Amino acid sequence: MFRGALEMIGLPRFLKATLAAAAVALPMAAQAATVTLDPSSYYAAYGRDYWWGHLSKSEINTALPGTGSTAAQQNEGYSSTYHYRADSTYNFTTPDAETTVFDISSTLRAQQGWYHGYASSRAVTRFYLSSRHEYDLSGFFTDSGPHTGEWRVYIYDLVNNITHYDTGWNTTSPLTLAGAGLTGILEAGHYEFYYQAALVGHVQYSTTTGSGTANLTLTHVPEPASLALFGLGLLGLGAARRWRTLTA
């Protein structure tokens, strides 16, 4: 239809070609930036008392866009004085058509009496990219007390089995994500963004608290061919306007 309309306009052939390129480039640009959340994605909180063998847990699916919080607390026996508790929060947003943000945070508490256990927070975010995106990863973990704080964050390509960033299980505190791999390019595909923080150990009649965050920002990167077509289309629109002015 667009090409037929151009034939009705008295424009040189090269202007018709560039305007047709614009018609192709505009919808391509509009459809390029797609991030889709895998329905298996979830965030969770766990509290475990090893002596009694009890596990309290909460696992909830995430949404994009979406936000939520959940908690799990496992008491030692019948007393809430001593317990292991984790609180998990997620906030997934799309600030604009080109950007997607996955934000995870958690707080942990190990208030141990006689029996040992753990408090743990986890978020497994799997997503599909329909085109190339730039990613920016940041995060922080800290704990205070005698129990051991553990923290892990990674980005993994589920199709090609490639790890783009991985802290491994890290017990340093405080810890800020650093080093190579915090920024980079993700091609179209299927990925997993993983976060877990935990307090573990066996230190009787003691209390440890911890907190952590991880933020992954994805920004669409236009394909070179789309940029070229789009630029050619803009050039054609400008030239057509000037042509009509000169021939009026």
Side-chain angles (χ1 to χ4, degrees):
M1 179 181 292
F2 185 79
R3 185 177 296 275
L6 289 178
E7 295 298 330
M8 298 176 62
I9 302 175
L11 294 178
R13 183 175 299 175
F14 84 94
L15 288 183
K16 295 177 183 178
T18 53
L19 289 174
V24 173
L26 286 172
M28 288 178 63
Q31 299 174 5
T34 303
V35 180
T36 306
L37 194 66
D38 186 319
S40 66
S41 300
Y42 69 95
Y43 71 119
Y46 307 93
R48 180 84 187 243
D49 173 13
Y50 280 123
W51 181 265
W52 291 82
H54 294 162
L55 172 65
S56 176
K57 68 178 181 178
S58 174
E59 298 177 345
I60 303 175
N61 290 111
T62 50
L64 177 66
T67 185
S69 60
T70 190
Q73 177 173 315
Q74 181 57 56
N75 300 333
E76 286 190 10
Y78 299 101
S79 172
S80 61
T81 302
Y82 301 112
H83 59 263
Y84 300 91
R85 180 183 177 92
D87 291 79
S88 304
T89 301
Y90 87 96
N91 185 28
F92 293 171
T93 60
T94 51
D96 54 58
E98 305 293 310
T99 309
T100 301
V101 179
F102 297 127
D103 191 69
I104 304 293
S105 63
S106 63
T107 58
L108 308 168
R109 184 179 183 87
Q111 189 165 328
Q112 182 182 346
W114 180 260
Y115 311 118
H116 69 291
Y118 65 79
S120 178
S121 173
R122 180 191 302 162
V124 179
T125 306
R126 302 183 182 103
F127 57 92
Y128 298 93
L129 297 180
S130 64
S131 60
R132 173 181 290 191
H133 281 67
E134 181 180 13
Y135 74 87
D136 188 352
L137 176 64
S138 61
F140 179 81
F141 178 77
T142 185
D143 65 76
S144 176
H147 294 83
T148 301
E150 297 180 343
W151 192 51
R152 187 178 187 185
V153 176
Y154 67 71
I155 303 173
Y156 185 71
D157 185 333
L158 295 168
V159 176
N160 299 304
N161 298 319
I162 297 174
T163 301
H164 289 268
Y165 186 86
D166 189 359
T167 62
W169 284 109
N170 202 309
T171 58
T172 302
S173 179
L175 175 66
T176 300
L177 291 183
L182 289 177
T183 60
I185 296 294
L186 300 179
E187 301 293 343
H190 191 196
Y191 297 88
E192 179 174 289
F193 170 41
Y194 181 90
Y195 166 93
Q196 185 166 357
L199 294 177
V200 300
H202 185 24
V203 188
Q204 296 178 4
Y205 303 108
S206 61
T207 300
T208 302
T209 59
S211 63
T213 65
N215 178 286
L216 177 63
T217 300
L218 302 169
T219 306
H220 174 238
V221 178
E223 296 293 339
S226 297
L227 287 175
L229 282 173
F230 190 70
L232 186 62
L234 291 178
L235 178 63
L237 289 173
R241 183 176 180 181
R242 180 169 178 78
W243 172 266
R244 297 186 67 178
T245 299
L246 294 175
T247 56

